[in-house]
Amino acid sequence: MACEWSAKLDAYVDGELSSSESTALAAHLRECTSCATYALGLVQMKRSIAAAGKRYQPGAEFRGKIQKTIGSKRRRDGSWYWKIVAIPAALVLILSVTVNLYVNREKARRERVYSELTDLHVATLASGSPVDVVSTDRHTVKPWFQGKIPFSFNLPELQGTDFSLVGGRVTYLAQSPGAHLIYRLRQHEISVFIFQDRGDGTAALASTPISRLSFTVESWTKNGLRYFVVGDVGAQDIESLSKLLRDAG
Amino acid sequence: MEVPDQRLSAATFEELALPLFEQLYNFAHWLAQDAAEAEDLVQETYVKALRGFSGFQLGTNFRAWMFRILRNTFLTSRTGLKSTVVSDEEIETIPSAAPNPETVLIERANREMVRQGLTELPVPFREILLLCEVEEMSYEEIAQVLTIPVGTVMSRLFRARRALRSLLVEKFKGVQNGV
Ligand SMILES: [Zn+2]
């Protein structure tokens, strides 16, 4: 861990670096095995804690009790402490807080999905064995996922294009399993992620290629599946692979 | 139509605070390690927050504010007083192992192992990991909850991850050796 970047890796995976630093570090990760390995470990640890940490559920009875504490009952009581809250302040509060909550949540969620996918992309390529099924043949790769993920998908014929299939692996986004396929274009690897579309507003994600850090991401839904294409190639290349996938799906 | 002021304010508080109920409960249970105590903590948090809502500053992060009340309530509870005999300065000196090269380990470590690891961590490490990964708070929000500078958030988080990693390495070795 002698690398000068190593001290920034935690902040990087936590999404706390400035965009210029993130871009530089993302580029560095493609060249530095020690940083990439450490970043991969961090990403895995973050996911494990997130999954393991959501553990305790309050009972319905207790929820009712809390609702009574803060809800209508107090209101009917005409409790004294509300009288000191001025209306204008409260109105501004409602607006600013709810709007900010919404905007931040949306932004955070979108950012999170993209950063999780770009992290996965980088981490997977940095790991010793990026794919679990190694094949350039879509007829081998597609059935390999059977029984490993709760849906099936179609992959495009690549003959006559510059793209080639490297292989695939099972991956997770917010605890739901999906397919991670790796394609190659010239010297570049491109990740294709396929998940079930949970209709949770992921529709807000870009349908035209957007650039995030040094990566271009394109996303769309088709037949109940959500696709993400992530790579460090230009928007045009991402779009052509996306078109091939759309036509096949 | 005129809305009586009490009603508007109560509705505001309820609208803001109720969606945090499950998160607060989960955090409380992790801190206290006991269901009944977690309920007491959450109940007290809501009562305190409701009472202090008029003093809540515009532009302040409401969620961080609620979590801060919960955490302070815990720190002054009997379990909290027992678990946090270490000061903020002392936490920075808790030894933790250097990063382990076996990074794939975490992926292989199962969820139960990670849960056990989190439970065994000292409260300052446990809480910061939960706020960062489960609540997905920014460093700034965490700083508000824990009332520490952002720089301290970074160093403590770093140490907490190291500490958890070394705990998991121990557990994983134990499993592999058939213990
Ligand atoms: Zn490096």
Side-chain angles (χ1 to χ4, degrees):
Chain A
M1 266 302 169
C3 182
E4 53 171 323
W5 282 103
S6 63
K8 301 228 163 169
L9 289 169
D10 283 72
Y12 173 71
V13 297
D14 290 334
E16 295 275 349
L17 288 186
S18 68
S19 65
S20 60
E21 271 188 313
S22 286
T23 311
L25 187 43
H28 172 72
L29 285 182
R30 266 169 282 151
E31 286 150 14
C32 178
T33 319
S34 109
C35 283
T37 313
Y38 183 71
L40 170 68
L42 277 178
V43 170
Q44 286 170 345
M45 176 179 266
K46 282 175 75 67
R47 295 217 179 92
S48 310
I49 297 171
K54 284 173 197 128
R55 179 175 193 181
Y56 303 109
Q57 290 278 335
E61 206 178 305
F62 181 50
R63 173 186 277 275
K65 195 175 161 194
I66 291 292
Q67 255 163 336
K68 252 183 231 155
T69 305
I70 64 172
S72 52
K73 191 171 166 242
R74 291 279 170 184
R75 259 180 263 152
R76 252 178 271 122
D77 289 348
S79 297
W80 55 271
Y81 30 78
W82 292 117
K83 304 219 162 103
I84 48 176
V85 183
I87 288 186
L91 269 174
V92 175
L93 185 69
I94 289 185
L95 290 173
S96 66
V97 175
T98 43
V99 168
N100 284 338
L101 278 181
Y102 177 78
V103 170
N104 288 334
R105 205 185 300 137
E106 274 305 293
K107 197 176 145 224
R109 201 180 45 74
R110 203 160 51 223
E111 283 290 303
R112 206 157 56 234
V113 170
Y114 284 147
S115 60
E116 202 162 310
L117 292 173
T118 47
D119 289 347
L120 259 178
H121 172 73
V122 172
T124 305
L125 294 178
S127 72
S129 51
V131 288
D132 291 329
V133 50
V134 186
S135 174
T136 54
D137 184 0
R138 63 190 167 124
H139 299 298
T140 308
V141 173
K142 192 192 148 179
W144 181 84
F145 281 100
Q146 246 166 41
K148 294 187 177 72
I149 53 172
F151 58 89
S152 71
F153 52 86
N154 290 319
L155 293 178
E157 170 62 56
L158 296 173
Q159 210 154 33
T161 73
D162 292 332
F163 296 100
S164 59
L165 180 60
V166 177
R169 72 200 289 267
V170 174
T171 192
Y172 293 87
L173 181 69
Q175 270 87 259
S176 50
H180 181 180
L181 303 153
I182 294 174
Y183 286 88
R184 187 168 291 140
L185 175 70
R186 300 182 291 271
Q187 307 304 329
H188 300 273
E189 263 91 26
I190 302 171
S191 284
V192 173
F193 296 96
I194 310 174
F195 298 95
Q196 272 168 319
D197 188 34
R198 288 167 302 157
D200 57 353
T202 341
L205 296 166
S207 55
T208 48
I210 67 139
S211 289
R212 200 201 116 81
L213 309 181
S214 54
F215 297 102
T216 306
V217 185
E218 176 157 356
S219 178
W220 69 91
T221 51
K222 193 174 178 187
N223 299 333
L225 298 179
R226 173 149 287 274
Y227 293 74
F228 296 92
V229 180
V230 183
D232 61 345
V233 294
Q236 249 183 345
D237 291 325
I238 292 290
E239 216 164 40
S240 10
L241 180 58
S242 299
K243 190 181 180 309
L244 287 167
L245 285 155
R246 268 201 203 96
D247 293 347
Chain B
M1 192 192 85
E2 269 210 10
V3 186
D5 55 348
Q6 308 92 307
R7 200 157 145 192
L8 180 64
S9 324
T12 313
F13 180 76
E14 197 178 347
E15 233 169 80
L16 292 170
L18 210 53
L20 299 174
F21 174 62
E22 285 177 10
Q23 294 163 253
L24 289 167
Y25 178 83
N26 182 55
F27 190 62
H29 200 150
W30 269 109
L31 289 178
Q33 298 291 319
D34 179 83
E37 226 174 300
E39 289 195 359
D40 288 346
L41 284 174
V42 172
Q43 171 83 22
E44 207 177 324
T45 300
Y46 274 101
V47 170
K48 281 183 185 167
L50 184 61
R51 209 178 292 148
F53 190 49
S54 59
F56 175 70
Q57 295 280 308
L58 276 179
T60 322
N61 184 310
F62 182 75
R63 183 169 67 141
W65 184 68
M66 290 291 287
F67 272 84
R68 187 167 75 216
I69 296 174
L70 173 61
R71 179 181 180 261
N72 289 341
T73 308
F74 168 71
L75 290 183
T76 51
S77 72
R78 222 179 313 143
T79 314
L81 286 171
K82 258 186 288 168
S83 67
T84 49
V85 280
V86 278
S87 70
D88 283 355
E89 295 74 48
E90 282 171 301
I91 296 158
E92 305 308 317
T93 63
I94 294 175
S96 55
N100 196 290
E102 307 167 61
T103 50
V104 275
L105 177 101
I106 307 291
E107 195 169 46
R108 288 201 216 118
N110 61 38
R111 189 176 295 190
E112 193 45 44
M113 227 183 249
V114 178
R115 279 179 176 172
Q116 279 173 24
L118 281 172
T119 312
E120 287 167 30
L121 282 180
V123 169
F125 286 166
R126 193 192 310 152
E127 65 180 0
I128 201 168
L129 288 174
L130 291 168
L131 293 174
C132 183
E133 317 302 6
V134 178
E135 301 310 327
E136 301 181 31
M137 286 187 183
S138 67
Y139 289 178
E140 181 55 48
E141 274 181 286
I142 297 173
Q144 286 176 28
V145 175
L146 304 181
T147 50
I148 52 174
V150 172
T152 312
V153 171
M154 293 175 77
S155 63
R156 192 176 300 174
L157 194 53
F158 183 73
R159 304 180 64 78
R161 284 175 175 153
R162 273 188 174 193
L164 180 62
R165 192 181 291 117
S166 46
L167 268 177
L168 291 174
V169 168
E170 287 311 306
K171 287 184 188 298
F172 196 67
K173 277 186 188 147
V175 170
Q176 277 189 320
N177 298 335
V179 176

